[in-house]
Amino acid sequence: ANPVVLFDGVCNLCDAVVQWLLERDRAGLLRYASLQSAAAHELLSAHLTDEEIAALPDSIVLVDDAGVHTDSTAALRIATKLGLPWKALGGLLVLPRFVRDPFYRFVARDRYRWFGRRETCMVPEPGVAERFLDAGEPRPPIADIARGDRDAGRRTPVRSWALRFVIAYLILYMLPFPLTLLGNLGRIPLIGDIPGLQPALGWVLGLWGSMTNVLVTSGADLFGLEVEPAVTGSGDQTFNYVELVFDLSMALVVSVAWTMFVRGRRVAAMTFDVSRVLTRYYLGWFLLIYGWVKVFPLQMPPPGPDRLLQPYGDSSPMGIAWTFIGASVAYQIFSGLAELCAGYLLFWRRTALIGSLIGMAVMLNVMAINFFYDVPVKLFSTHLFLYALFVAAPDLPRLVGMFGFNLPVASDCRRAFWRRLGWNGRVVRLTTLALVGMLTWFHVQDGISNSRTRGILAEVPRLEGIYVVESFTRGGLLDRENEDADRWVRVGVNMPSIATIQRANGVAVRMLMAMDTTARTVSFYDRGGQPPQIPQFEYTEPEADVLRLDGTFEGDSASVVMRKTETGALLVERGFHWINEFPFNR
């Protein structure tokens, strides 16, 4: 006898699966019937009792010579009836059911919520009607169907615990948000004028920071690590990784206790919605921070004299990435606009899905740069991507079904948590609008202010530029009397704090620079080090565009006369061209 596929006749996903099988079962081996039909009941009655029939899953069942099959076993045995490559999926039957069934049941439980259902059981088309055992039966309306969605939306205790673990971890990682957001908004006069707000926030945030430092440091002792929190610009310090382990451990404890307290019940819809709102606001806030600092553009400054003098091969991977983005102001602004687009959309419930998808794309690119160019923001960028994924997760199956398999999708009927609490919708929307407006005002004001001091709106400092060394004396030796490894030939001064000194042997090292334009002193020292207590040089300007340095350098007396020159660097002078007869790849 032909194998018979019994399917949920009112399920859009099951209907699509049957249509897919009809196209690929060219030999016409399979027969079909809806689970709600009399033909299906008659067929099952020959193999099972009424109690066993009632206990069957309500998605897809296969009846063949070997008996009645359900869940992933039914799906894989159906695949073996098709041609290659689908037939090869039957090899997965060697896996135990407890490994195979969870994913199948995960989709089956929520198929109505994701893909919707029909008003009546499907009617087969004339060309394939003979392959349906129930083709001649009348189609009952959905209200008369006993089977259907008895499992829809149900979560197992393990699945509910996993969701609680994710929620607990994401919230633990973002703490002390939203207090940090309120602290930033405190710089806005309307909020900053609230009596006692800033001192209270400062005390709470300081207490949180101290408590976190103590807990993480204590946790590091368990691993035999010595960590000390320090502001270095790196988000991937040992401290951060220990903090990550601590947050994961705490999330595990919280999720287990939470699940035991509610006796394994599913996560409440309001709890999930509140956690999703917090996630949206946290992610949106940081996307606005990173977006505006690129739009102005301040995060990756254009390559200055120090970078232009540095040999290409001496650049670090991170330096190459920063130079790549900073070399094009338009590209940096474009990147910032993408982040702003995602950030603003995330603040509104109806646009949160598209905002999270754009955020995932943006953060995936940022993650790739951080990982592949060794930028020490790997942990944080990965978490921002995961936050975007968490926001989009409830809708991803529907998107995959629509874009991947051309399936109809059900509309999202979830109610916002504030509607369940009876809050006024207009007040909520106006509050959100006010928050977004204040964040925008804050970032625009900050961007304009910083652009005037160190960005594209600032004047180029008079002393900044590339200098050719005209005279170099060190330890009494003049110019070429010095070793090539000692003699300076060019100096790139990038005000106010970075310089590159190029030696005659071709080595050019970027260094930190401490310049006091009032005392007219300057010192050069290694990046990551501390400036000398006594300035190395006093400088004078004998004539326009000429600097003379007199003092001590690397233990020897030194005197340097250098003249500012044009950069001549293609990286900053090539510009944009609509027409290129040949690729200008240098």
Side-chain angles (χ1 to χ4, degrees):
N2 292 78
V4 180
V5 177
L6 305 178
F7 62 95
D8 182 1
V10 298
C11 168
N12 282 332
L13 176 61
C14 300
D15 175 38
V17 170
V18 170
Q19 300 298 332
W20 186 86
L21 290 172
L22 287 169
E23 291 180 8
R24 287 155 183 80
D25 179 23
R26 303 185 188 282
L29 179 64
L30 297 173
R31 295 294 182 266
Y32 308 89
S34 67
L35 278 165
Q36 294 85 357
S37 67
H41 189 270
E42 180 180 350
L43 178 64
L44 290 171
S45 296
H47 296 81
L48 305 172
T49 65
D50 288 344
E51 291 77 9
E52 290 172 328
I53 293 174
L56 285 175
D58 56 7
S59 51
I60 288 182
V61 176
L62 175 68
V63 182
D64 61 12
D65 293 338
V68 179
H69 311 283
T70 61
D71 296 336
S72 65
T73 301
L76 293 175
R77 289 184 70 90
I78 290 172
T80 63
K81 315 299 182 184
L82 308 176
L84 292 173
W86 314 111
K87 192 171 185 177
L89 293 174
L92 296 176
L93 287 167
V94 300
L95 298 174
R97 293 194 63 162
F98 71 84
V99 175
R100 296 185 275 110
D101 282 349
F103 177 75
Y104 176 90
R105 292 172 180 169
F106 169 73
V107 176
R109 273 191 296 265
D110 290 319
R111 64 188 188 279
Y112 287 164
R113 183 164 62 87
W114 293 336
F115 307 111
R117 56 184 178 181
R118 307 161 63 93
E119 291 301 319
T120 61
C121 290
M122 66 168 290
V123 178
E125 297 179 0
V128 295
E130 67 277 2
R131 297 168 68 176
F132 286 78
L133 304 184
D134 58 344
E137 296 184 24
R139 293 312 192 237
I142 192 171
D144 298 334
I145 296 173
R147 307 182 66 86
D149 57 352
R150 63 170 183 258
D151 289 330
R154 187 177 300 168
R155 286 187 170 88
T156 64
V158 173
R159 187 178 169 195
S160 296
W161 165 81
L163 180 56
R164 288 188 176 94
F165 173 79
V166 170
I167 291 174
Y169 176 75
L170 293 179
I171 291 178
L172 281 169
Y173 186 85
M174 74 172 68
L175 289 176
F177 179 86
L179 292 180
T180 45
L181 172 60
L182 191 58
N184 276 2
L185 292 179
R187 295 171 61 183
I188 297 175
L190 183 64
I191 297 178
D193 293 339
I194 299 177
L197 176 63
Q198 289 306 308
L201 280 175
W203 183 83
V204 172
L205 294 176
L207 178 63
W208 174 265
S210 300
M211 183 176 66
T212 301
N213 293 343
V214 170
L215 290 173
V216 173
T217 304
S218 301
D221 292 339
L222 298 176
F223 301 97
L225 299 173
E226 292 185 8
V227 298
E228 188 170 338
V231 179
T232 65
S234 171
D236 295 335
Q237 301 175 59
T238 304
F239 180 89
N240 301 115
Y241 279 95
V242 176
E243 186 178 27
L244 177 68
V245 174
F246 176 79
D247 287 343
L248 287 169
S249 303
M250 286 298 299
L252 180 62
V253 172
V254 169
S255 60
V256 170
W258 184 3
T259 303
M260 292 175 63
F261 180 76
V262 299
R263 299 180 182 179
R265 292 194 300 270
R266 62 178 296 175
V267 177
M270 183 178 294
T271 301
F272 180 74
D273 195 32
V274 170
S275 64
R276 202 159 171 246
V277 169
L278 282 172
T279 300
R280 289 196 288 114
Y281 278 44
Y282 179 78
L283 177 61
W285 177 42
F286 273 104
L287 285 174
L288 293 191
I289 291 174
Y290 282 112
W292 281 113
V293 81
K294 289 185 179 72
V295 164
F296 270 98
L298 294 162
Q299 187 176 7
M300 290 86 168
D306 60 312
R307 182 69 75 178
L308 297 176
L309 275 191
Q310 184 181 22
Y312 198 71
D314 288 344
S315 301
S316 68
M318 178 180 175
I320 289 292
W322 245 240
T323 303
F324 155 67
I325 299 174
S328 173
V329 171
Y331 178 76
Q332 186 170 177
I333 292 174
F334 171 80
S335 302
L337 289 174
E339 292 174 333
L340 289 181
C341 178
Y344 281 114
L345 290 173
L346 281 164
F347 282 98
W348 307 97
R349 184 181 181 86
R350 294 187 180 183
T351 58
L353 175 58
I354 185 64
S356 65
L357 294 177
I358 297 174
M360 286 172 63
V362 168
M363 292 315 305
L364 188 61
N365 180 57
V366 173
M367 281 174 59
I369 292 175
N370 291 345
F371 277 92
F372 304 148
Y373 285 87
D374 196 29
V375 181
V377 200
K378 303 177 190 69
L379 285 177
F380 187 60
S381 61
T382 300
H383 278 81
L384 291 184
F385 173 80
L386 293 176
Y387 280 112
L389 179 61
F390 179 75
V391 174
D395 298 296
L396 288 181
R398 299 192 304 144
L399 294 174
V400 171
M402 182 173 65
F403 291 110
F405 302 98
N406 199 29
L407 293 174
V409 295
S411 59
D412 185 0
C413 299
R414 291 168 298 188
R415 297 180 66 203
F417 80 91
W418 47 267
R419 289 191 180 277
R420 295 189 181 95
L421 296 174
W423 294 1
N424 185 290
R426 181 174 296 178
V427 172
V428 171
R429 286 188 288 271
L430 288 175
T431 303
T432 304
L433 182 62
L435 172 63
V436 171
M438 287 188 291
L439 284 174
T440 302
W441 182 90
F442 167 77
H443 289 300
V444 170
Q445 289 288 104
D446 231 27
I448 293 174
S449 174
N450 289 327
S451 294
R452 286 173 175 167
T453 57
R454 59 183 179 89
I456 56 176
L457 301 180
E459 293 184 6
V460 177
R462 181 173 54 83
L463 297 180
E464 182 169 301
I466 292 179
Y467 291 82
V468 174
V469 176
E470 295 183 336
S471 173
F472 180 82
T473 303
R474 177 171 176 173
L477 300 178
L478 179 63
D479 293 335
R480 294 182 181 275
E481 294 175 357
N482 290 277
E483 297 289 337
D484 287 350
D486 295 331
R487 182 162 57 92
W488 298 9
V489 292
R490 289 198 298 176
V491 177
V493 176
N494 191 359
M495 299 290 289
S497 58
I498 302 178
T500 294
I501 298 175
Q502 184 180 31
R503 315 286 179 113
N505 63 354
V507 175
V509 180
R510 294 179 75 224
M511 310 179 75
L512 292 181
M513 176 180 66
M515 178 175 282
D516 186 336
T517 54
T518 302
R520 302 179 75 83
T521 60
V522 62
S523 297
F524 307 99
Y525 57 101
D526 292 336
R527 296 170 67 86
Q530 296 295 324
Q533 294 183 350
I534 301 176
Q536 294 170 338
F537 296 104
E538 293 182 353
Y539 73 84
T540 56
E541 298 176 77
E543 56 183 283
D545 295 333
V546 174
L547 279 182
R548 179 185 177 96
L549 311 182
D550 293 289
T552 302
F553 187 73
E554 296 179 347
D556 292 325
S557 61
S559 178
V560 185
V561 178
M562 52 192 190
R563 184 181 298 273
K564 187 187 294 187
T565 184
E566 298 294 329
T567 64
L570 284 173
L571 186 61
V572 294
E573 295 184 357
R574 164 65 179 169
F576 174 82
H577 299 77
W578 282 109
I579 298 175
N580 289 274
E581 302 299 343
F582 297 96
F584 195 77
N585 189 356
R586 299 291 187 269

